[in-house]
Amino acid sequence: DQQVKQNSPSLSVQEGRISILNCDYTNSMFDYFLWYKKYPAEGPTFLISISSIKDKNEDGRFTVFLNKSAKHLSLHIVPSQPGDSAVYFCAAETGGGADGLTFGKGTHLIIQP
Amino acid sequence: NAGVTQTPKFQVLKTGQSMTLQCAQDMNHEYMSWYRQDPGMGLRLIHYSVGAGITDQGEVPNGYNVSRSTTEDFPLRLLSAAPSQTSVYFCASSYDGQTQYFGPGTRLLVL
């Protein structure tokens, strides 16, 4: 059973507008969440993270929101730029993360000019 | 500072052959791990290590072995390759066990 779910395989957004990528999880033991960006033929690149004791974390154009009661997090990108076109993975971990990350299947974000 | 490096970039194997995927990091990170990415499946954890001499199994460990004799290196061994092991393999390292930094990947095709 998938513990981290990204239900939108793809998302198309116009350049300059807001991109919102969603992620749901089922394991209440997850205490740290991360977003990774991946271009074709490259490794995933860390974008932003959030601890379960917070509900928001911001880094430049990227903001992650966490709703623990709904077991839901989202990544907002404002404004969206052509270079943001990539696959975005949501990931989660428990107990300090020493035993690795659990990933969602990814959402392919396409920024339209 | 090269970060996480992986070799080879691409490999073709025949069923039953063995090989070792190399992973090295120069950031003095204690935590290292191996993932595989299959189409539509996201990344899945194969094996991980919290320090030299310590390894453990992840979600999909069958058919793979690892060892961690130094902090820098974490090789992944396929003992007898199967077509089901066709995938893209990513190695990652972390200083805190939370934020993981990935290598560029090894694409493996098993015929």
Side-chain angles (χ1 to χ4, degrees), chain A residues 3-24:
Chain A
Q3 298 186 69
V4 177
K5 299 178 185 178
Q6 294 177 257
N7 292 320
S8 299
S10 66
L11 175 67
S12 184
V13 175
Q14 210 164 13
E15 182 180 355
R17 306 294 287 264
I18 182 171
S19 295
I20 300 176
L21 294 90
N22 292 304
C23 178
D24 297 293

Side-chain angles (χ1 to χ4, degrees), chain B residues 22-101:
Chain B
Q22 301 292 346
C23 174
Q25 52 93 8
D26 61 358
M27 298 174 281
N28 202 31
H29 288 173
E30 290 295 326
Y31 302 94
M32 296 187 75
S33 49
W34 277 101
Y35 295 82
R36 60 178 286 174
Q37 185 190 12
D38 301 302
M41 294 292 292
L43 282 81
R44 292 182 294 169
L45 182 66
I46 304 172
H47 284 285
Y48 63 97
S49 169
V50 299
I54 306 169
T55 65
D56 209 340
Q57 296 181 351
E59 179 187 356
V60 288
N62 291 343
Y64 307 95
N65 276 357
V66 292
S67 60
R68 185 96 180 271
S69 55
T70 67
T71 299
E72 295 78 20
D73 301 296
F74 191 41
L76 179 72
R77 296 184 188 84
L78 281 71
L79 303 175
S80 177
S84 61
Q85 293 178 304
T86 293
S87 189
V88 183
Y89 292 85
F90 292 102
C91 178
S93 74
S94 173
Y95 61 92
D96 60 2
Q98 290 188 318
T99 305
Q100 305 216 8
Y101 298 91

Side-chain angles (χ1 to χ4, degrees), chain A residues 31-32 34 36 38 41-46 49 89 93 96-106, chain B residues 31 33 35 37 40-45 48-50 90 96-105 107:
Chain A
D31 56 12
Y32 199 76
L34 309 92
Y36 283 84
K38 187 181 180 305
E42 292 185 12
T45 303
F46 170 71
S49 60
F89 290 97
E93 60 192 21
D99 53 356
L101 297 170
T102 300
F103 280 84
K105 293 184 178 182
Chain B
Y31 302 94
S33 49
Y35 295 82
Q37 185 190 12
M41 294 292 292
L43 282 81
R44 292 182 294 169
L45 182 66
Y48 63 97
S49 169
V50 299
F90 292 102
D96 60 2
Q98 290 188 318
T99 305
Q100 305 216 8
Y101 298 91
F102 286 83
R107 301 182 71 89

